[in-house]
Amino acid sequence: MNLTKPVAEADLRASDADRDRVAEILREALAEGRLDPEEHAERIDTVYRAKTMGELEPVVRDLPAAGGSRPQPGPGAYAYGPGSPVPDQNLVAIFSASVRKGRWQAPSRINAVAIFGSVEIDLTEAVFPQQQIQINVTAIFGSVEIRVPENITLRSSGSGVLGAFEVETNDAEDANAPLVMVNGYAVLGSVEAKPKRGAWIRDLRSRLREGRRELRQQLREDHRERHQHMRQEQWEWHERLREDHRERRDRFRKGADG
C-alpha cells in the first residue's frame, strides 16, 4: 500500500500571486516608514527569489498584514488615508504667493493668511486622513483660492469687508464624503472656494490602484528578467564545462595515441 506523505505548508511551492501579496505588504511597510528603502529593496529581492511558502514567511514576520493598520474605506470608496493625525498647516503669503497642491495628506485644520499676496489650496488630489477639514482664511488686500473635488461637501461661514468672500457651497450625495468648511473674512481682498469640475476622489483611488498594478507588473517583469539571466548564466556555465570536458578528452586521446 503506497501512502503519499502530505507536504508541509512551508514546503509548498509559492505562486506569483503569493509573491505579489508579500510584495504588497512590503510596499505598505515602506510607505508607513516601517522599512527604509534599503531594507525594502533587500526584502523584495528575497521575495522574487523565493520558491516556497516557507521562504516567504520570514520576510514579513515582523510586519502587519497588508491593510491591517489602515481603516477600510466607506461605502463611497473615498481615499481616506492612515488614521494617524496630521499636524495643522499654515499657509502664509505676505507680498508673496503660497501654493499647496498635488497629492498630499490634508490636515484637519488649515490656516491661510494672504496680506498683499495670494494663497492657493488645491484639494482635488489630496488624501483625507479624516472626514472633516476646516480652513480658516484671512485675506487683507490679498486673495485665497480653494479648489476641492466635485464629490465632497463644501460649506462656509465667512464674510467680506469691502471685499469678496465667495464659496460655492456643495452637498455631496454620499454621507461618507469628506466635508470642507471654509471660515474667515476678506478685507479689501478676495476668497473663492468651489469644486473643480471633473475632479473626483474616486479618480485618485483609480490612479492609486493603477499605480499598484504597474508596480506589480514591473516587479514581475524584473523577476522574469532575473530568472532568464540566471538561466542564461547556467547554460553558459554548462557549455563551458562541456567544452572543458571535450578538450580534456581530446588531450587524453592524443596522449594515448602518441
Side-chain angles (χ1 to χ4, degrees):
M1 183 176 182
N2 185 18
L3 295 178
T4 303
K5 185 179 179 179
V7 179
E9 183 177 356
D11 296 329
L12 291 174
R13 303 287 291 190
S15 67
D16 285 342
D18 294 324
R19 297 184 187 92
D20 289 344
R21 174 180 56 81
V22 175
E24 176 69 11
I25 296 175
L26 294 178
R27 187 199 64 78
E28 290 197 6
L30 175 65
E32 294 168 355
R34 300 179 190 273
L35 296 176
D36 60 35
E38 184 177 349
E39 292 172 324
H40 177 263
E42 291 176 355
R43 296 195 188 197
I44 281 291
D45 186 65
T46 301
V47 166
Y48 284 100
R49 289 178 181 273
K51 295 182 179 180
T52 66
M53 298 298 293
E55 294 175 272
L56 288 176
E57 192 275 334
V59 178
V60 292
R61 183 179 295 161
D62 57 346
L63 299 174
S69 62
R70 296 177 182 266
Q72 295 300 315
Y78 293 98
Y80 295 129
S84 57
V86 179
D88 294 352
Q89 184 157 9
N90 300 317
L91 298 173
V92 180
I94 302 177
F95 290 97
S96 62
S98 180
V99 179
R100 194 67 172 93
K101 61 181 180 179
R103 182 169 179 256
W104 59 296
Q105 287 197 37
S108 60
R109 186 185 301 272
I110 301 173
N111 301 310
V113 178
I115 302 176
F116 290 97
S118 64
V119 174
E120 179 185 348
I121 302 173
D122 189 338
L123 294 168
T124 56
E125 294 187 47
V127 177
F128 294 81
Q130 61 285 312
Q131 190 174 13
Q132 183 168 336
I133 292 178
Q134 180 173 320
I135 303 178
N136 299 319
V137 177
T138 300
I140 302 176
F141 290 96
S143 65
V144 176
E145 182 179 318
I146 302 168
R147 294 291 180 267
V148 301
E150 187 175 354
N151 59 332
I152 75 165
T153 296
L154 177 63
R155 295 175 183 163
S156 72
S157 176
S159 59
V161 181
L162 298 178
F165 195 99
E166 301 177 353
V167 176
E168 186 178 321
T169 58
N170 183 63
D171 289 321
E173 297 181 359
D174 194 330
N176 293 289
L179 165 65
V180 174
M181 174 68 73
V182 182
N183 301 323
Y185 58 90
V187 179
L188 294 170
S190 66
V191 174
E192 180 186 60
K194 63 181 181 180
K196 184 176 181 180
R197 302 306 175 191
W200 289 60
I201 295 180
R202 71 182 68 241
D203 290 347
L204 172 62
R205 291 184 59 81
S206 297
R207 288 196 295 272
L208 292 176
R209 286 195 296 269
E210 181 62 28
R212 293 191 185 103
R213 282 195 295 268
E214 291 177 358
L215 175 60
R216 287 196 293 268
Q217 179 64 26
Q218 183 61 46
L219 290 173
R220 281 195 291 266
E221 291 177 358
D222 291 345
H223 171 66
R224 283 195 292 268
E225 289 179 1
R226 287 197 299 268
H227 182 66
Q228 291 174 356
H229 181 67
M230 291 175 61
R231 292 186 61 182
Q232 179 66 23
E233 288 183 339
Q234 291 175 351
W235 180 83
E236 292 176 354
W237 182 70
H238 285 300
E239 282 296 309
R240 287 196 298 269
L241 286 179
R242 283 194 290 267
E243 183 63 27
D244 290 343
H245 176 70
R246 284 194 294 267
E247 290 179 357
R248 287 196 299 270
R249 185 186 58 192
D250 292 343
R251 287 197 301 268
F252 176 77
R253 287 177 177 175
K254 290 179 180 178
D257 294 340

